[in-house]
Amino acid sequence: MATIEEALEIERLERDIFRGASTKTQLPRTFGGQVAGQALVAAVRTVEPRFQVHSLHGYFLRPGNPGAPTVYLVDRIRDGRSFCTRRVTGVQDGDAIFTMSASFHLGDEGPSHQDEMADVEPPNDLPDAATSMDPERLWAMREWEHWDIRPVPQERVTKRPGVVSPQQVWFRYRHPLPDDPLFHVCTLAYMSDMTLLGSSKVTHPDEPTQNASLDHAMWFLRPFRTDDWLLYDQSSPSAGFGRALTGGKIFDRDGRLVAAVVQEGLIRTLRS
């Protein structure tokens, strides 16, 4: 399967028009994280290097064809002294499949605080998916063979009062990546769509549903590396009417909160 460098590869066709590569996949539709990651790479290519991504907000509009490339149209909404804003539309066969706004910031001085990371089992104490006999984990391992993804067993997930659907997942990219911080941001955008909607099924594990990401928002809070362990501490505060709200805080191994994610997804009951 594709490396992250291949999955995020885009080609500049015009000043603000890019074409993202299609990659080998088992999935029937384009992985949402790849579309979001490529769209963010396209936005980054139109911004001065001194600006860093601090947030993105995207909507998945149509299923993408994984066998076809996606064209990304970038609108330069604002270039300010401290902030820049870009709007990106991903297009296949003349139809928009994804739209995203991304904001960039120079960075300033100000107060600092963060939530503490939960006391959670360390990743090295959990089994590598490559050694698993679980068919579902082996399938995911084939699709994302370059990622080391280690869910905390549900009976050992940190329980918090009032949180009805918690899930905790350690992950990292298996191979060394470039030092460019923006590459790690785009890589995390790719990864952030993986496993998050699954938190909505923690309390409904046996209910058959049709699942798909509907929208996705991220905030990048502190520097990090995606080729080192990150904890994705997830929950689903609400589900109903065929949709589920999910969210996650992403911590590095030192307990620094490096990113936050909110996503709404489709979890529609399968009709017989």
Side-chain angles (χ1 to χ4, degrees):
M1 293 297 175
T3 64
I4 192 63
E5 292 91 342
E6 293 166 336
L8 296 179
E9 183 181 351
I10 64 170
E11 173 190 5
R12 191 174 225 134
L13 302 179
E14 260 287 356
R15 178 174 179 261
D16 294 331
I17 303 176
F18 302 84
R19 179 168 55 205
S22 60
T23 57
K24 184 179 178 182
T25 181
Q26 306 171 100
L27 302 173
R29 57 179 181 262
T30 306
F31 173 52
Q34 182 173 9
V35 178
Q38 289 183 346
L40 187 56
V41 173
V44 165
R45 296 276 177 90
T46 69
V47 174
E48 292 182 32
R50 59 198 181 98
F51 287 91
Q52 298 292 311
V53 187
H54 77 89
S55 68
L56 65 83
H57 297 72
Y59 284 89
F60 299 96
L61 305 176
R62 293 179 176 86
N65 175 2
T70 304
V71 172
Y72 297 95
L73 312 176
V74 181
D75 290 326
R76 301 181 184 231
I77 302 300
R78 179 175 184 261
D79 285 304
R81 287 180 294 181
S82 296
F83 289 89
C84 294
T85 306
R86 297 292 184 263
R87 183 172 57 231
V88 186
T89 304
V91 178
Q92 282 189 346
D93 197 26
D95 290 325
I97 66 168
F98 180 73
T99 183
M100 181 185 77
S101 294
S103 184
F104 299 76
H105 185 210
L106 275 180
D108 289 306
E109 295 295 325
S112 178
H113 65 261
Q114 67 157 75
D115 284 352
E116 291 186 5
M117 184 171 76
D119 184 12
V120 61
E121 195 164 356
N124 292 333
D125 291 353
L126 300 170
D128 189 333
T131 65
S132 174
M133 300 304 293
D134 181 349
E136 185 173 340
R137 291 196 71 190
L138 287 174
W139 183 92
M141 178 63 196
R142 287 194 297 270
E143 181 66 30
W144 292 288
E145 62 182 325
H146 301 290
W147 289 92
D148 194 346
I149 304 168
R150 304 191 186 192
V152 177
Q154 193 57 40
E155 67 273 12
R156 302 204 291 273
V157 167
T158 306
K159 305 299 182 185
R160 289 158 290 187
V163 177
V164 298
S165 197
Q167 180 169 268
Q168 293 171 328
V169 180
W170 286 101
F171 69 90
R172 66 175 175 180
Y173 196 70
R174 291 184 182 273
H175 317 295
L177 293 174
D179 290 333
D180 179 8
L182 285 173
F183 186 85
H184 289 269
V185 165
C186 294
T187 299
L188 188 61
Y190 174 99
M191 177 61 203
S192 63
D193 188 43
M194 205 182 302
T195 75
L196 182 55
L197 191 53
S199 65
S200 68
K201 297 296 295 293
V202 166
T203 54
H204 318 280
D206 301 320
E207 186 170 343
T209 56
Q210 177 189 358
N211 305 324
S213 304
L214 296 175
D215 65 357
H216 196 80
M218 291 189 73
W219 294 264
F220 303 96
L221 307 173
R222 292 171 179 85
F224 59 88
R225 294 191 65 94
T226 45
D227 51 5
D228 197 0
W229 286 113
L230 297 170
L231 175 68
Y232 207 167
D233 194 355
Q234 308 166 348
S235 68
S236 177
S238 177
F241 304 100
R243 303 187 310 275
L245 182 67
T246 60
K249 298 175 182 177
I250 300 177
F251 296 85
D252 67 13
R253 279 201 293 182
D254 294 328
R256 297 185 315 130
L257 181 59
V258 301
V261 188
V262 175
Q263 181 181 93
E264 189 177 43
L266 183 74
I267 56 164
R268 182 163 53 202
T269 300
L270 288 178
R271 299 177 177 87
S272 57

